[in-house]
Amino acid sequence: NERPIIPDTCPTEWSALIEGCWTRNPEQRPKFSTVKDKLSSMKENVSDTGDVVNTKAPTGKSITLVYTDVEESTSLWDSSAQAMQESLKMHNKLMRDFIDKAQGYEVKTEGDSFMVAFENATSAVQWALDTQRALLKLNWPQALMENAICQEVRENGVIIFRGLRVRVGIHTGEMNHHKDEVTGRIDYFGNNVNRANGVASLAS
């Protein structure tokens, strides 16, 4: 009747469910339907790589949405598809790493664009600043750096552009939300969602 050791890194919600199913008294164990519903709910917090993200989608009255996209991405794909493919993987990993650290919620991605939700504007702005600084330090492929769009640019001795240039638009307001039937993730819609996207399109 020995049970394997649950690692300390296991999220509390997951370990509690496991321990509940291991209870010696069968009558105290959760019903199968309860376990199924619980796992379905917890699935939202598992990334595509299998990592557990302890972040839930913001559903309060006021939500901050962030839209990002890579500038001149079509031109970059045309000039060096292989370098762009490698660079986009680096870009996506960095964005997701910082989303997790900032307790943001990745709503969805489309091409090289990210849509991320935060409970407040402060967290959203901090995430945007942190990612922009980190993008400057990535070891981008040489073929990408040879492109005029991605070459290093300095202002008063400070690097302001290097590698992929990522536009960011941030907007806070009331938004409707629902669970997408295909992805199982929370999505947002309404005028304020369109405004956040519009801000990103104006950024440069």
Side-chain angles (χ1 to χ4, degrees), residues 145-160:
M145 294 303 298
E146 291 173 355
N147 192 302
I149 299 171
C150 300
Q151 289 178 358
E152 184 176 301
V153 177
R154 290 176 178 261
E155 188 173 282
N156 298 324
V158 178
I159 299 175
I160 59 173

Side-chain angles (χ1 to χ4, degrees), residues 70-133:
V70 176
E71 292 187 46
E72 303 290 345
S73 59
T74 301
S75 176
L76 292 171
W77 277 108
D78 289 341
S79 62
S80 181
Q82 183 175 352
M84 188 56 178
Q85 184 176 15
E86 182 181 347
S87 298
L88 200 57
K89 287 181 180 179
M90 297 167 63
H91 161 274
N92 291 353
K93 183 179 186 307
L94 183 145
M95 300 291 270
R96 291 190 170 109
D97 286 346
F98 278 88
I99 289 173
D100 293 348
K101 292 177 183 178
Q103 293 296 291
Y105 181 80
E106 181 182 330
V107 182
K108 57 187 173 184
T109 59
E110 294 180 2
D112 54 53
S113 301
F114 273 75
M115 177 180 176
V116 188
F118 292 88
E119 291 187 351
N120 57 74
T122 301
S123 297
V125 171
Q126 189 62 58
W127 174 79
L129 289 172
D130 289 343
T131 54
Q132 291 287 10
R133 291 177 181 132

